[in-house]
């Protein structure tokens, strides 16, 4: 996954969580439309500059592969939470935070700060790298875990 592809996805109206989840969804039986719809409210740190959308998209992917869906599947739940924790740790090592506002240096839920994000071109310069790095990290955990 490269910046050009990610910027193209942004230009089509897709957000970080949608891009990450859609990248791997087919591998776990989820079609692209459903993946994008599922992740639609998670971009921009759930639109309040909270947990990075790329990371929440990755968490959803971990759930697709390892998550539990029946009562009392504690082994599956434990596996999913372990992989999620490992993914989060690697993400924090790289970006020092899981929060969109920390990564961008501005809170996109505040109109004046969103304008600074736009003026500085941060969506185009920071987010593609975060998304690509997150997909790389995610793929490592989906393959080896």
């Amino acid at each position: 996954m490269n910046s050009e592809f990610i910027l193209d996805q942004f230009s089509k109206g897709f957000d970080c969580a949608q891009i990450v989840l859609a990248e791997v969804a087919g591998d776990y039986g989820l079609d692209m439309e459903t993946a994008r719809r599922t992740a639609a409210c998670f971009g921009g740190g759930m639109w309040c500059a909270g947990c990075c959308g790329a990371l929440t998209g990755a968490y959803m992917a971990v759930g697709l592969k390892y998550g539990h869906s029946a009562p009392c599947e504690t082994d599956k739940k434990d596996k999913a939470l372990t992989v999620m924790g490992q993914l989060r740790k690697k993400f924090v090592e790289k970006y020092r935070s899981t929060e969109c506002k920390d990564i961008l240096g501005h809170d996109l839920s505040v109109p004046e700060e969103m304008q600074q994000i736009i003026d500085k071109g941060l969506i185009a310069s920071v987010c593609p790298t975060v998304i690509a790095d997150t997909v790389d990290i995610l793929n490592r955990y989906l393959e080896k875990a």
Side-chain angles (χ1 to χ4, degrees):
M1 176 173 289
N2 60 44
S3 291
E4 184 177 301
F5 172 78
I6 294 164
L7 290 172
D8 179 63
Q9 294 298 293
F10 282 160
S11 76
K12 293 175 180 174
F14 298 116
D15 303 308
C16 40
Q18 291 173 297
I19 296 167
V20 171
L21 186 58
E23 179 69 14
V24 300
D27 296 337
Y28 304 103
L30 189 65
D31 65 90
M32 188 151 326
E33 179 184 348
T34 303
R36 287 177 174 157
R37 289 175 60 209
T38 299
C41 295
F42 292 88
M46 292 168 273
W47 301 110
C48 62
C51 187
C52 171
L55 187 57
T56 58
Y59 288 165
M60 287 182 240
V62 169
L64 283 173
K65 181 164 185 177
Y66 299 111
H68 67 291
S69 60
C72 303
E73 290 183 317
T74 55
D75 57 330
K76 287 184 178 182
K77 184 174 184 173
D78 291 345
K79 178 66 172 181
L81 293 176
T82 297
V83 173
M84 181 181 161
Q86 293 168 337
L87 180 66
R88 181 185 187 283
K89 181 180 177 189
K90 288 293 182 191
F91 188 93
V92 170
E93 285 173 5
K94 186 141 188 97
Y95 292 102
R96 296 193 195 129
S97 177
T98 62
E99 300 293 301
C100 177
K101 63 186 166 202
D102 295 334
I103 295 165
L104 289 175
H106 299 282
D107 185 335
L108 58 74
S109 69
V110 176
E112 299 80 19
E113 292 194 44
M114 181 59 178
Q115 189 58 53
Q116 290 179 12
I117 291 169
I118 292 167
D119 291 346
K120 294 177 181 179
L122 297 177
I123 299 294
S125 64
V126 174
C127 297
T129 301
V130 174
I131 292 167
D133 288 345
T134 302
V135 168
D136 287 344
I137 294 166
L138 173 63
N139 283 331
R140 280 184 260 146
Y141 282 103
L142 294 179
E143 290 173 2
K144 77 174 193 176

